[in-house]
Amino acid sequence: MGPKMSNKIHIEVARVIDISSWSPVTKGIALALVSTALFTAVGVSAYKYGEANVVSNVEYIKIVYAMAIGYLLFSEVPNQLALIGVALLFLSVLVPRFIVKRAKQPC
């Protein structure tokens, strides 16, 4: 990449990050940012105190929430592959519970 191409890239990046169009952060957006940071911190610290296989399954539920929010707010209909993925997520929670429950039953 030559110097002319590099300059063009810098100009385009500067155009995207235009400070003259900056607007102050509203209270609603600040609340959303703070709550996102807090929930992320709680989620990360959960790995410290909980079993990793349980916490990871809870983390994956974010995908299901994202699909639901996309459907409700943006009318995005998930495709078959996405629905299969959600089914696999639920199975990854239910199958181990079923196996543990069955192992605890006396023979």
Side-chain angles (χ1 to χ4, degrees):
M1 179 173 10
K4 287 185 179 183
M5 182 60 136
S6 177
N7 287 340
K8 286 182 182 181
I9 291 173
H10 289 281
I11 291 169
E12 290 302 317
V13 170
R15 197 175 291 166
V16 171
I17 308 173
D18 183 14
I19 294 178
S20 67
S21 65
W22 175 262
S23 60
V25 177
T26 64
K27 289 181 183 179
I29 292 180
L31 179 65
L33 289 171
V34 169
S35 63
T36 300
L38 290 174
F39 283 120
T40 302
V42 168
V44 169
S45 66
Y47 282 101
K48 187 175 180 179
Y49 300 107
E51 295 180 31
N53 60 346
V54 174
V55 175
S56 63
N57 283 331
V58 173
E59 286 285 318
Y60 287 133
I61 203 73
K62 292 177 185 177
I63 297 169
V64 179
Y65 289 145
M67 283 178 52
I69 290 170
Y71 180 76
L72 294 173
L73 296 181
F74 307 112
S75 301
E76 292 179 352
V77 179
N79 61 14
Q80 289 179 339
L81 191 58
L83 295 174
I84 290 170
V86 168
L88 288 173
L89 288 175
F90 282 117
L91 284 174
S92 73
V93 173
L94 296 176
V95 169
R97 286 182 182 240
F98 176 73
I99 291 172
V100 169
K101 185 178 179 181
R102 189 164 184 179
K104 289 182 179 180
Q105 290 178 351
C107 295

